[in-house]
Amino acid sequence: MNAISLTGLTKTYPAFQLGPLDLTLPVGSITGLVGENGAGKSTTLKLMLDLLRPDGGEIELLGQRVPDAFPRLKEDIGVVLEELAYPAFLTARQIGRLMANAYRQWEPETYAGYLARLKVPEGQAYSTLSRGTRMKLHLAAALSHGARLLLLDEATSGLDPMVRQEILDLLYDFCREDRAVLLSSHIVSDLEKICDYIAFLHQGRLVLMDEKDRLLERYGVLKCSAEELDRLDPSTLLARRVHRYGAEALVERERVPASLTVDTLTLEELIIFLARGNAS
């Protein structure tokens, strides 16, 4: 069973269109959702959470249709959204009591354990917490009601490297028991550490979706002269940059002549190449 299945999903605004979007996330895996600001990442998450209604297509989470099954599905989905906020005057301890009324499977001991592990003060008002501490509080809540799917929007943003690594470790442990995570993030180095799959959105379109390791094996950077680049089949070049000292192109390794050297690249370099497209 797939944790997420999006088929022909569309959402249209006056100056932006998402989709048609087809995306699946297998159970037991972590998928990184990446793309520039305005690419459609947050819109995609809100559509899955029934915070927005699509103009077309279908959404299935954990084998159930959205929005039909969403009142039941909320028990099985943990959510951290960048825009999400608790009432300013509530403390983490009071938020725990609030969540106990919202979720039948709320686990107060688990919640308290995460608060301690992530160093979130239980008696301090939400409005006085730093942005990073608020994100840790949201993550503690999302992990404390027996969720089988986590939908996270910039959950590691604003945190120092040590805390980010601890959160990545928590997500890795979470997925060991037939669960799944969709993690939207601008911090590509975090995604490279933990994700099984990468989905790249650009201007509302899904440019690629594949296993992370396969992407890094499949694509590379070709550095050559502009003349050598022009002699190649244009369909071989996913993106190119020509400058005064030569040219660079993002290519599929298997389609480049053996006489040319293709360098390895990082996930961040791959995404930057795809986002910028052709440039001279």
Side-chain angles (χ1 to χ4, degrees), residues 49-67:
L49 292 168
D50 198 32
L51 298 175
L52 294 173
R53 287 297 174 94
D55 296 319
E58 296 182 355
I59 303 170
E60 283 193 4
L61 303 181
L62 301 170
Q64 301 183 67
R65 290 280 299 274
V66 174

Side-chain angles (χ1 to χ4, degrees), residues 10-275:
T10 61
K11 181 66 178 178
T12 303
Y13 296 99
F16 175 76
Q17 178 173 324
L18 176 73
L21 186 61
D22 296 291
L23 184 149
T24 58
L25 170 58
V27 168
S29 65
I30 300 176
T31 292
L33 184 63
V34 295
E36 72 278 11
N37 288 333
K41 303 186 299 298
S42 294
T43 298
T44 301
L45 289 170
K46 289 177 181 178
L47 288 167
M48 285 191 278
L49 292 168
D50 198 32
L51 298 175
L52 294 173
R53 287 297 174 94
D55 296 319
E58 296 182 355
I59 303 170
E60 283 193 4
L61 303 181
L62 301 170
Q64 301 183 67
R65 290 280 299 274
V66 174
D68 303 348
F70 202 80
R72 300 187 303 276
L73 270 173
K74 78 175 183 109
E75 294 284 339
D76 294 322
I77 300 174
V79 179
V80 177
L81 295 180
E82 198 171 16
E83 306 166 4
L84 190 65
Y86 291 116
F89 57 88
L90 291 183
T91 65
R93 187 180 299 111
Q94 292 169 328
I95 288 169
R97 290 198 285 269
L98 183 70
M99 299 294 279
N101 292 323
Y103 292 98
R104 293 192 302 272
Q105 300 180 88
W106 181 251
E107 302 165 0
E109 296 84 5
T110 300
Y111 177 65
Y114 281 128
L115 293 180
R117 179 172 175 177
L118 295 171
K119 296 181 174 59
V120 178
E122 291 194 37
Q124 195 170 325
Y126 182 82
S127 62
T128 67
L129 300 176
S130 69
R131 183 179 184 281
T133 303
R134 290 181 188 183
M135 293 301 285
K136 291 189 287 184
L137 171 54
H138 286 288
L139 184 62
L143 289 166
S144 299
H145 59 82
R148 297 158 53 203
L149 170 63
L150 290 183
L151 301 178
L152 310 177
D153 188 14
E154 299 296 338
T156 59
S157 178
L159 304 178
D160 66 62
M162 293 295 291
V163 176
R164 293 206 326 262
Q165 184 59 54
E166 187 167 18
I167 287 176
L168 296 181
D169 291 340
L170 290 176
L171 299 181
Y172 180 78
D173 291 341
F174 175 85
C175 275
R176 288 182 178 178
E177 301 179 8
D178 292 328
R179 299 165 178 165
V181 176
L182 180 63
L183 173 61
S184 167
S185 178
H186 286 98
I187 306 175
V188 179
S189 59
D190 287 350
L191 303 181
E192 194 158 10
K193 288 177 184 176
I194 194 173
C195 289
D196 304 294
Y197 297 87
I198 297 294
F200 176 60
L201 280 176
H202 180 56
Q203 297 179 353
R205 297 289 191 272
L206 186 65
V207 175
L208 59 81
M209 166 76 185
D210 208 338
E211 293 182 29
K212 176 195 65 185
D213 293 340
R214 175 170 162 75
L215 287 174
L216 298 181
E217 291 171 0
R218 181 178 179 185
Y219 299 107
V221 177
L222 172 64
K223 298 178 181 179
C224 59
S225 68
E227 291 75 17
E228 286 176 309
L229 204 61
D230 289 338
R231 287 197 291 269
L232 293 175
D233 180 349
S235 65
T236 304
L237 312 177
L238 281 79
R240 57 184 286 169
R241 291 202 294 260
V242 179
H243 46 78
R244 59 186 298 183
Y245 302 110
E248 295 178 318
L250 178 65
V251 297
E252 291 190 59
R253 293 175 175 277
E254 295 181 354
R255 303 186 64 188
V256 174
S259 59
L260 297 175
T261 300
V262 179
D263 296 335
T264 59
L265 79 172
T266 65
L267 181 61
E268 185 166 11
E269 290 169 333
L270 172 62
I271 290 166
I272 290 172
F273 250 112
L274 289 171

